[in-house]
Amino acid sequence: MNISSITSANVVNFQQARNIKRPTFKNATDVIEISKNRIGIERQGKNLHVSFTGNFKNPVDAGIQFKIAGVTRHQKGMAGAHAAASDDNLVKLAKSNWKDGQQLDYSYDEYNKVLTLKDSQFGEIGTVPAPVTEKFMEIINSDKENYKFELSGITGGVTSDFPIIAAKASLKYTGDDDKKREEARVKFNEILDSNDSKVSSSVTPYQINLSPKQVLETIFDVEGKRNGLGEVRKIKDAVDTIVKELNNPENKNILVLGHCSPDGDTIGSVIGMTTALKGAYPERTIDASIDDDIPNSFVHVPGVEDIKRPYNAKAVASVTKNIEMLEKSSNPEAKKQIETLNKELVRLQDKSKMFDPDTVDGKTAKKYDLVIMLDTPTSGRSSRAFKPYFENAGKTIFIDHHPLKQAEWADAKSKLGFDIQKTINDKLALVADSVPAATQIVTAVCDKAGMLGKMFESSKENARKFVAGIIAGTQTDTCAYKNQANYSPSEAKLPRSQKANYYPEGMSEWLIEKLNSDIDEKWMRENLFYELPNQPLTNNLGPKDAVLMMALRGREMYPEIGLGMMRVNYAVMENILQEAKKQDKNVQMTDVYNSFKNSEVMSALKADPKFSKSNPNPVTYSEKAAETYRSQWDSDRVAVFMAQNQVEGSINKFSQIADKNMISFSFRSGGETNAAQVLATVFGGGGHAAAAGANLSMKGLDFKSKLTVKVDGVVADAKTIYDAANNNVNVSNNNKINFKDKAKMMKKIEIEMSKDGTGRTCSELIKDVLTEMRAAQPAPQRTYGKRA
């Protein structure tokens, strides 16, 4: 086929396009292998214009995944058990040496239309969700020999945050007939894409074992469809250049960094990159650092002990100065603050916790040939303590899955010594914001570099750390594998089978099988959690129960717009922290914050209650926490957690006496809109369409403070604020617009404390902006009134 014969009207299968001989035009665009899509090619003078059509398709395996129903009836003796629970079969299974993919038996009650799942050793563990039972039986009856149920995972049941053991299973075609496999895939996709929401919401795509190479291919596919061949070329060039530097023998000393206030994804990314380098190149010096405490939820992850902190000379000087100042104070609180600061001073100078301990004694900071920054969305999430390492680095690599907003890196060179524009120009910045977890990108890059193969062959210890870190990060950043890609609003409305899918659980399974050790989904369930101690000390209430009680007091629900909010002030969190420390000296404020964020109250606000049963007379805190609402927006609920995590006079996370109050926001939405990202943008934050965050700092700021919002310098109403935030999100996410043009197109949004008592509180601002967003959305077909 001759390329000149293809016109703008031609759409060709990509396999054909691969066989086309590339013309000798000087400015012709390269054709890159992008599987699973159809592309259109148009000759425009000396250039080739490539457009992407078609849909994302599931790979070879034909299956469908679902959450097993009725599990509480098989958890007798547990806090989350059904009142009529008759056995503890699922409890026994969870404690056994279960494996993902092990076969489940089944039986069908044709009269009651109930499809029961059974473990061969322990018996019944639950049922197939009612909306898909008959559809499953139709499929099974068409070929009973080749359709099998398999266990996909067991979660929860290890803390009072998650008192119910949950289980997932899959129905899979296991035969060898390609034609029947394709027929099975069609049937499963029909269920995924059903117009009946009860059916479609009962299932999720089957998680094939996805190799790191396939993850990288999927990045090319998704970015090509979203942004065209030019963006794929940028990503491919970045991957190739980064791989070259990782394998460059001149890079003998390497520093790997993650963001402050670390979550599982940044911790896992740092562990993954560090151990892959160590496993492949044991002769090199590889240091790992995060300038913050590691949350207790991740202290059991192998490799976390290798993450050290930098010596922060400015923090030490600030603490010392504040101690001297407080020693002159007559304030009765001063003595307590001095005690806190002295402990902080000891911690900041603990050489055993530092990757470059000689700097404590004033020696020059180490010089690294390569610094690798991972999963860091803004310069504000990094630390000034890394400045000498960035400034002296031979080169810097940047890998992330958050939308890259240049405005949020404008101060990075002066603040951190990190020149992101130079890193981009050097083709060492790899950003793929469709990927749900940075750990997946890190895995794909390490595999492309050949480091995974070398690590698995030469170092079982590093391989174990790598797999543990990567699956811990992938699981946590995808909300236990619920988020399989980061969608734009337009993609979110596509049928499920046509959406991009990075199969994060499938990639984890690929790594688990490759490692073949004790690190698996059972290990994750039993190790990736931390719960506040709960022995009653004050008012007959333990710290964990106090979290639940205060979370309920701070809950607000607005069913008419599908909004639920929870808020907690600093004094409450500080009091719970001090009570918890009496039982566990290692408790951190982060653990208290996460306990609120992961509480049953927030779970209820985020849940889609289509199939939940109401408790008409809730009595205990747990029962009240499970109380939720019915809404026309249940498929795209917005849940917001607001925490006043700093007050004037307190010791902030930078080891300073805070001169302002701060409220942190965590936004979550169902993914059908960019609600979370828009709301975060209003408060100066950012993130993904379905998960985002922000911080707001002001003197005297609390949840009752009235705020004024200006757009381009003019006080704005809710619609103007929404329009401006939505504009900024759309501009930021559009990779076809260059950075300079983006800056011109962005609206300036400012929040000030009201001077005349008018304006909106944080809660009112969120509610009013979301109301405008809902008004711009298509009206839903159904409405609900009562709480569940």
Side-chain angles (χ1 to χ4, degrees):
M1 182 185 294
N2 192 305
I3 191 70
S4 62
S5 66
I6 298 178
T7 69
S8 60
N10 291 133
V11 176
V12 296
N13 182 279
F14 188 73
Q15 186 60 44
Q16 294 174 301
R18 287 175 59 191
N19 297 327
I20 296 172
K21 184 177 180 180
R22 183 153 53 93
T24 56
F25 302 141
K26 291 182 180 180
N27 298 318
T29 303
D30 290 336
V31 175
I32 301 173
E33 181 175 349
I34 302 172
S35 60
K36 302 199 293 285
N37 282 298
R38 292 164 61 82
I39 63 173
I41 303 178
E42 179 185 357
R43 178 179 168 183
Q44 296 177 340
K46 293 182 179 181
N47 296 308
L48 296 180
H49 175 72
V50 182
S51 60
F52 290 76
T53 63
N55 302 311
F56 302 110
K57 296 180 181 178
N58 294 335
V60 177
D61 282 313
I64 197 163
Q65 193 177 83
F66 59 93
K67 198 172 181 180
I68 300 176
V71 290
T72 57
R73 291 181 176 272
H74 304 286
Q75 299 181 39
K76 189 174 182 180
M78 289 193 65
H82 192 283
S86 57
D87 59 65
D88 62 349
N89 295 346
L90 187 58
V91 180
K92 291 175 181 176
L93 176 60
K95 292 180 179 179
S96 72
N97 191 30
W98 61 270
K99 296 290 183 183
D100 176 78
Q102 70 186 48
Q103 188 172 328
L104 297 174
D105 300 324
Y106 70 91
S107 63
Y108 181 57
D109 179 347
E110 190 168 355
Y111 179 78
N112 292 304
K113 308 296 182 186
V114 176
L115 183 52
T116 301
L117 299 178
K118 303 176 181 180
D119 176 77
S120 59
Q121 182 178 356
F122 302 109
E124 295 182 8
I125 59 171
T127 63
V128 169
V132 294
T133 293
E134 291 188 66
K135 294 181 180 296
F136 277 16
M137 283 309 304
E138 288 176 10
I139 293 172
I140 292 170
N141 287 334
S142 69
D143 190 353
K144 289 186 178 181
E145 291 298 317
N146 289 313
Y147 283 99
K148 308 291 183 185
F149 285 104
E150 60 180 36
L151 184 67
S152 298
I154 298 175
T155 59
V158 289
T159 72
S160 60
D161 279 339
F162 307 100
I164 297 173
I165 297 176
K168 294 183 298 183
S170 296
L171 177 61
K172 182 181 177 183
Y173 175 77
T174 59
D176 298 324
D177 189 314
D178 289 341
K179 182 179 179 181
K180 289 184 177 181
R181 181 182 292 107
E182 182 59 32
E183 290 173 353
R185 187 180 297 110
V186 170
K187 292 175 183 176
F188 289 138
N189 284 348
E190 286 175 355
I191 295 174
L192 284 168
D193 300 341
S194 173
N195 291 326
D196 185 340
S197 62
K198 288 186 177 181
V199 172
S200 60
S201 62
S202 297
V203 292
T204 58
Y206 178 76
Q207 290 286 298
I208 64 154
N209 281 21
L210 198 72
S211 71
K213 180 181 179 182
Q214 289 172 304
V215 170
L216 190 57
E217 289 174 351
T218 305
I219 291 174
F220 293 154
D221 287 348
V222 175
E223 294 300 331
K225 188 176 192 322
R226 282 186 177 183
N227 301 304
L229 193 61
E231 187 64 21
V232 179
R233 170 56 69 191
K234 289 180 186 177
I235 292 175
K236 186 178 185 301
D237 286 347
V239 170
D240 290 343
T241 311
I242 288 170
V243 163
K244 181 180 177 181
E245 291 301 331
L246 292 176
N247 289 325
N248 187 346
E250 294 181 4
N251 292 326
K252 297 177 182 178
N253 300 298
I254 301 174
L255 177 61
V256 183
L257 308 177
H259 66 66
C260 300
S261 301
D263 57 9
D265 198 26
T266 204
I267 293 167
S269 294
V270 168
I271 292 174
M273 180 62 76
T274 301
T275 52
L277 283 163
K278 286 182 176 180
Y281 301 109
E283 72 280 4
R284 299 187 189 182
T285 298
I286 315 295
D287 290 325
S289 183
I290 292 173
D291 192 14
D292 213 335
D293 294 321
I294 303 295
N296 279 310
S297 302
F298 303 102
V299 296
H300 300 300
V301 178
V304 77
E305 69 278 4
D306 299 326
I307 300 176
K308 306 291 186 179
R309 297 187 71 160
Y311 174 60
N312 195 325
K314 288 187 177 180
V316 170
S318 176
V319 171
T320 302
K321 181 179 179 180
N322 284 325
I323 290 173
E324 294 172 353
M325 180 182 68
L326 288 168
E327 285 175 341
K328 301 175 183 178
S329 173
S330 58
N331 189 323
E333 289 293 315
K335 186 176 180 180
K336 184 178 178 181
Q337 288 184 321
I338 290 171
E339 183 180 345
T340 300
L341 287 172
N342 277 322
K343 290 180 181 178
E344 180 69 2
L345 198 59
V346 171
R347 188 182 71 83
L348 287 171
Q349 299 178 93
D350 184 351
K351 292 185 178 181
S352 69
K353 302 293 175 63
M354 296 178 192
F355 68 89
D356 191 9
D358 289 345
T359 51
V360 176
D361 301 320
K363 293 185 179 179
T364 304
K366 283 185 184 180
K367 183 175 181 179
Y368 290 92
D369 303 306
L370 192 62
V371 173
I372 304 172
M373 178 181 269
L374 303 172
D375 189 45
T376 305
T378 69
S379 63
R381 295 293 295 276
S382 190
S383 168
R384 294 177 187 269
F386 292 128
K387 188 172 184 179
Y389 304 104
F390 278 118
E391 289 179 335
N392 295 326
K395 291 182 179 178
T396 301
I397 288 172
F398 180 80
I399 298 175
D400 193 20
H401 73 129
H402 298 92
L404 180 59
K405 301 177 182 179
Q406 194 176 31
E408 295 180 354
W409 290 94
D411 62 349
K413 190 173 181 179
S414 60
K415 176 183 172 183
L416 304 175
F418 172 46
D419 187 343
I420 195 166
Q421 191 57 58
K422 183 178 186 302
T423 302
I424 292 170
N425 294 341
D426 290 343
K427 298 181 180 179
L428 290 172
L430 172 57
V431 179
D433 56 26
S434 60
V435 183
T439 42
Q440 287 198 277
I441 308 176
V442 168
T443 302
V445 169
C446 290
D447 179 68
K448 179 71 173 177
M451 289 164 23
L452 287 199
K454 294 177 182 178
M455 177 192 69
F456 278 116
E457 289 177 8
S458 64
S459 177
K460 288 185 177 180
E461 179 186 359
N462 282 310
R464 186 173 183 272
K465 290 179 178 179
F466 179 91
V467 174
I470 292 296
I471 63 175
T474 304
Q475 185 198 42
T476 54
D477 224 41
T478 60
C479 298
Y481 304 121
K482 291 177 184 176
N483 303 328
Q484 295 167 5
N486 292 322
Y487 304 121
S488 65
S490 59
E491 290 172 309
K493 295 185 181 300
L494 286 173
R496 189 87 63 89
S497 67
Q498 296 177 17
K499 290 181 180 180
N501 196 332
Y502 283 95
Y503 298 92
E505 187 173 6
M507 191 201 76
S508 294
E509 284 302 320
W510 187 92
L511 290 171
I512 288 168
E513 289 187 10
K514 184 80 173 176
L515 181 66
N516 191 26
S517 79
D518 62 319
I519 303 297
D520 55 17
E521 289 198 37
K522 176 178 169 62
W523 174 86
M524 287 192 291
R525 173 181 176 265
E526 296 173 351
N527 288 277
L528 294 185
F529 69 89
Y530 176 78
E531 184 170 50
L532 290 177
N534 204 31
Q535 179 183 341
L537 292 175
T538 304
N539 298 327
N540 230 10
L541 203 64
K544 182 64 190 68
D545 286 338
V547 165
L548 206 53
M549 180 183 72
M550 298 311 297
L552 285 166
R553 289 184 183 179
R555 178 170 64 180
E556 303 174 61
M557 293 187 283
Y558 301 94
E560 66 276 11
I561 54 173
L563 171 64
M565 292 186 281
M566 183 177 75
R567 55 189 191 184
V568 57
N569 65 40
Y570 181 86
V572 167
M573 291 198 296
E574 176 65 23
N575 183 59
I576 292 173
L577 174 63
Q578 296 309 319
E579 289 292 301
K581 279 183 173 293
K582 294 175 184 177
Q583 300 178 44
D584 180 358
K585 66 179 182 179
N586 295 318
V587 178
Q588 309 166 25
M589 181 61 89
T590 301
D591 298 318
V592 177
Y593 176 90
N594 286 339
S595 190
F596 274 99
K597 188 176 176 180
N598 298 329
S599 71
E600 295 98 311
V601 176
M602 276 300 287
S603 296
L605 293 177
K606 290 186 289 186
D608 181 346
K610 284 190 179 81
F611 311 119
S612 66
K613 294 183 178 179
S614 62
N615 182 348
N617 299 300
V619 177
T620 67
Y621 287 129
S622 292
E623 288 174 336
K624 291 178 180 179
E627 189 180 24
T628 182
Y629 62 83
R630 292 280 188 177
S631 170
Q632 57 194 9
W633 304 103
D634 279 340
S635 61
D636 189 42
R637 286 185 170 204
V638 174
V640 184
F641 173 46
M642 294 179 280
Q644 187 189 39
N645 57 358
Q646 173 183 300
V647 295
E648 296 169 35
S650 67
I651 310 301
N652 66 18
K653 64 179 298 178
F654 304 108
S655 306
Q656 300 170 335
I657 297 178
D659 61 353
K660 296 178 182 177
N661 292 356
M662 178 187 287
I663 293 177
S664 292
F665 302 83
S666 178
F667 301 96
R668 297 292 183 268
S669 59
E672 292 189 5
T673 63
N674 56 359
Q677 199 174 10
V678 168
L679 290 171
T681 300
V682 171
F683 291 92
H688 301 294
N695 293 312
L696 186 64
S697 298
M698 292 181 186
K699 283 188 174 294
L701 178 68
D702 60 30
F703 293 120
K704 295 180 180 179
S705 299
K706 294 289 186 176
L707 306 172
T708 298
V709 183
K710 293 181 179 179
V711 173
D712 290 339
V714 179
V715 176
D717 59 16
K719 186 178 187 309
T720 303
I721 297 168
Y722 163 65
D723 289 341
N726 193 48
N727 169 79
N728 289 357
V729 167
N730 291 333
V731 170
S732 296
N733 292 347
N734 192 334
N735 292 328
K736 296 178 182 178
I737 305 173
N738 64 49
F739 286 131
K740 289 184 179 180
D741 288 340
K742 282 185 178 184
K744 296 176 184 177
M745 296 169 69
M746 300 286 273
K747 299 288 186 179
K748 186 177 181 180
I749 303 175
E750 302 169 282
I751 299 181
E752 302 173 350
M753 191 78 77
S754 174
K755 297 177 181 178
D756 59 4
T758 61
R760 302 175 178 86
T761 64
C762 291
S763 296
E764 291 168 344
L765 180 55
I766 292 168
K767 178 177 176 290
D768 289 352
V769 171
L770 185 60
T771 298
E772 294 298 330
M773 173 176 278
R774 297 305 196 197
Q777 292 177 247
Q781 296 179 353
R782 296 184 298 168
T783 58
Y784 300 96
K786 297 181 179 179
R787 290 181 179 178

